Amino acid sequence: MKKCTKILSVMFVLSLCVMSLAGCGKKSEKYKIATDTTFAPFEFEDENGEYVGIDLDLLAAIAEDQGFEYELQPLGFDAACAALESGQADGVIAGMSIKEERKEKYDFSDPYYDSGVVMGVKADSNINTYEDLEGAVVAVKMGTEGAAYAESLADTYHFELKYFDESPMMYQEVLTGNAAACCEDYPVMGYNIANGNGLKMLGDMQVGSSYGFAVRKGEDAELLEMFNKGLANIQANGTYQEILDKYIAAE
């Protein structure tokens, strides 16, 4: 009888160890974080084929501060959102504007960047006002703040919208003369103009939304909490500003 009791006790201890290991395995699982592919200076591919940018440096710094691991999934903006909604990704960091309609599907972190939007035209263009766009084509990137802003102006200034998946595609559409202008987030437009994309800004920046890290609504609260805590910490210790200064030159 004692022998049976001892065997049962050993089996019970072993089962607890297995359960404990299983629990540890779950905790150490990497988060899958989806992002855009061409949204410089927030995310883009450098000359070595590595994805870099403000968003990715912030994510790396926050993950280090909070001690979690992640696997980056550069998918493009629409695909990143679809991956999050379908459960193929745990979070999205892609210069995503915090909007009320998006809050119906996602839970957002504290804002990590305050942005705006602006129109861009060819550097030698004689287009000087929105009125000059009457009857013209304006290129926009699908699902972005820039697209929403252009949509709000289209009826007033009587221009046609043409949609693209990536920012470089809409820039090229302007450079080839197939579109008269494009609409983009201000820091993204400014970064690309500064790096010689052949465009200039049309008018001043229009106030836009702040960017946030997103998870599925009602899920991954722990990941969201870690992002917020890590963001606050790197803002306090100066790392946040160092990352911004690395990609956006002070005026």
Side-chain angles (χ1 to χ4, degrees), residues 77-157:
F77 186 77
D78 286 345
C81 293
L84 180 60
E85 291 170 26
S86 65
Q88 299 303 304
D90 301 303
V92 169
I93 186 165
M96 184 187 289
S97 299
I98 302 172
K99 297 182 179 180
E100 290 304 316
E101 59 268 29
R102 284 179 176 157
K103 288 181 180 179
E104 296 176 5
K105 296 186 292 184
Y106 313 131
D107 287 329
F108 282 98
S109 68
D110 296 333
Y112 66 81
Y113 189 85
D114 295 326
S115 188
V117 295
V118 69
M119 286 275 195
V121 296
K122 200 171 177 180
D124 60 359
S125 173
N126 57 5
I127 295 174
N128 298 308
T129 66
Y130 291 165
E131 285 81 1
D132 295 334
L133 294 173
E134 183 170 357
V137 173
V138 173
V140 295
K141 183 177 177 181
M142 289 190 295
T144 63
E145 182 102 359
Y149 178 67
E151 287 164 357
S152 73
L153 300 177
D155 288 341
T156 301
Y157 295 103

Side-chain angles (χ1 to χ4, degrees), residues 19-228:
M19 290 172 65
S20 176
L21 287 172
C24 290
K26 187 175 182 182
K27 269 198 159 186
S28 63
E29 183 180 352
K30 290 182 179 180
Y31 290 105
K32 295 178 180 178
I33 310 298
T35 187
D36 204 345
T37 53
T38 52
F39 196 60
F42 290 89
E43 43 266 331
F44 60 98
E45 197 171 357
D46 67 12
E47 63 275 7
N48 299 316
E50 300 291 331
Y51 282 97
V52 297
I54 293 172
D55 282 351
L56 307 189
D57 284 11
L58 288 177
L59 177 61
I62 289 168
E64 182 178 0
D65 181 85
Q66 291 294 299
F68 67 85
E69 295 186 343
Y70 64 92
E71 175 190 335
L72 192 67
Q73 299 180 325
L75 302 174
F77 186 77
D78 286 345
C81 293
L84 180 60
E85 291 170 26
S86 65
Q88 299 303 304
D90 301 303
V92 169
I93 186 165
M96 184 187 289
S97 299
I98 302 172
K99 297 182 179 180
E100 290 304 316
E101 59 268 29
R102 284 179 176 157
K103 288 181 180 179
E104 296 176 5
K105 296 186 292 184
Y106 313 131
D107 287 329
F108 282 98
S109 68
D110 296 333
Y112 66 81
Y113 189 85
D114 295 326
S115 188
V117 295
V118 69
M119 286 275 195
V121 296
K122 200 171 177 180
D124 60 359
S125 173
N126 57 5
I127 295 174
N128 298 308
T129 66
Y130 291 165
E131 285 81 1
D132 295 334
L133 294 173
E134 183 170 357
V137 173
V138 173
V140 295
K141 183 177 177 181
M142 289 190 295
T144 63
E145 182 102 359
Y149 178 67
E151 287 164 357
S152 73
L153 300 177
D155 288 341
T156 301
Y157 295 103
H158 309 103
F159 55 73
E160 177 188 346
L161 295 174
K162 190 170 183 180
Y163 293 84
F164 295 89
D165 291 323
E166 305 291 350
S167 295
M169 295 170 67
M170 68 175 183
Y171 299 155
Q172 189 61 30
E173 196 75 357
V174 176
L175 294 175
T176 57
N178 293 322
C182 59
C183 198
E184 179 72 283
D185 284 36
Y186 181 85
V188 179
M189 183 74 78
Y191 177 86
N192 282 281
I193 289 175
N195 283 273
N197 74 344
L199 302 182
K200 66 179 180 181
M201 292 188 189
L202 176 63
D204 298 324
M205 181 188 81
Q206 304 301 309
V207 176
S209 303
S210 299
Y211 295 163
F213 174 75
V215 300
R216 287 186 302 280
K217 194 167 187 66
E219 299 186 36
D220 290 305
E222 182 181 14
L223 174 58
L224 199 62
E225 183 180 3
M226 287 192 294
F227 187 94
N228 284 336

Side-chain angles (χ1 to χ4, degrees), residues 2-34:
K2 285 185 178 180
K3 188 174 182 180
C4 289
T5 303
K6 183 181 285 187
I7 292 173
L8 288 172
S9 298
V10 171
M11 289 178 66
F12 178 69
V13 170
L14 286 173
S15 67
L16 287 178
C17 290
V18 170
M19 290 172 65
S20 176
L21 287 172
C24 290
K26 187 175 182 182
K27 269 198 159 186
S28 63
E29 183 180 352
K30 290 182 179 180
Y31 290 105
K32 295 178 180 178
I33 310 298

